[in-house]
Amino acid sequence: VQLQASGGGSVQAGDSVRLSCASSGRSAGQTDFAWFRQGPGPEREFVAAITWRAGARNYAEAVKGRFTVSRDSAKTTAYLQMNNLKPEDTAVYYCAARIGHSAWYGPRGAADYNYWGQGTLVTVSS
């Protein structure tokens, strides 16, 4: 499975950005998607996830109410709509995926995902 992320950029606080993550390859339609981000620290932080079977969504507390994860009807592309962005949202955002699981909610650990896209930088200035 290959993941192609796009949509980052430089914005002002309060602006919106939408990220996309297109998957291709084997069993691309049975994909649980997640978004992580990495700021100045060494670890990737969970942002949001959506599962292929249930379409259930879960979010990090820091983004709940501002970010929305979704997917297309073919279940091969995921989106992260980010509204009311804050400077602390500045990070490299990564999409991640795993194939063929049946959990209701996607896991929050980076190690639970097998496939990763390239990062896309989102910079929010005050």
Side-chain angles (χ1 to χ4, degrees), residues 11-16 83-89 123-126:
V11 297
Q12 299 287 320
D15 285 350
S16 298
N83 297 330
N84 190 22
L85 282 160
K86 303 176 181 180
E88 51 264 41
D89 295 317
T123 304
V124 185
S125 56
S126 58

Side-chain angles (χ1 to χ4, degrees), residues 23 28-31 33 71-77:
S23 66
Q30 299 180 18
T31 305
F33 288 98
R71 62 181 182 193
D72 67 350
S73 58
K75 304 179 184 179
T76 59
T77 300

Side-chain angles (χ1 to χ4, degrees), residues 5-6 8 35-36 44 91-95 116-122:
S6 60
W35 290 94
F36 289 79
R44 291 184 183 181
V92 177
Y93 284 75
Y94 296 89
C95 66
W116 290 82
Q118 85 287 6
T120 183
L121 177 62
V122 175

Side-chain angles (χ1 to χ4, degrees), residues 32-125:
D32 292 346
F33 288 98
W35 290 94
F36 289 79
R37 65 186 182 186
Q38 187 163 10
E43 295 192 1
R44 291 184 183 181
E45 173 191 19
F46 172 79
V47 176
I50 185 167
T51 53
W52 75 272
R53 183 178 288 256
R57 310 172 189 187
N58 53 328
Y59 298 93
E61 284 299 317
V63 307
K64 200 173 291 185
R66 300 187 297 122
F67 291 11
T68 302
V69 62
S70 61
R71 62 181 182 193
D72 67 350
S73 58
K75 304 179 184 179
T76 59
T77 300
Y79 305 96
L80 184 68
Q81 177 68 43
M82 305 186 291
N83 297 330
N84 190 22
L85 282 160
K86 303 176 181 180
E88 51 264 41
D89 295 317
T90 294
V92 177
Y93 284 75
Y94 296 89
C95 66
R98 62 179 196 166
I99 305 298
H101 292 260
S102 59
W104 191 265
Y105 287 106
R108 295 170 176 254
D112 293 302
Y113 295 89
N114 307 104
Y115 306 98
W116 290 82
Q118 85 287 6
T120 183
L121 177 62
V122 175
T123 304
V124 185
S125 56

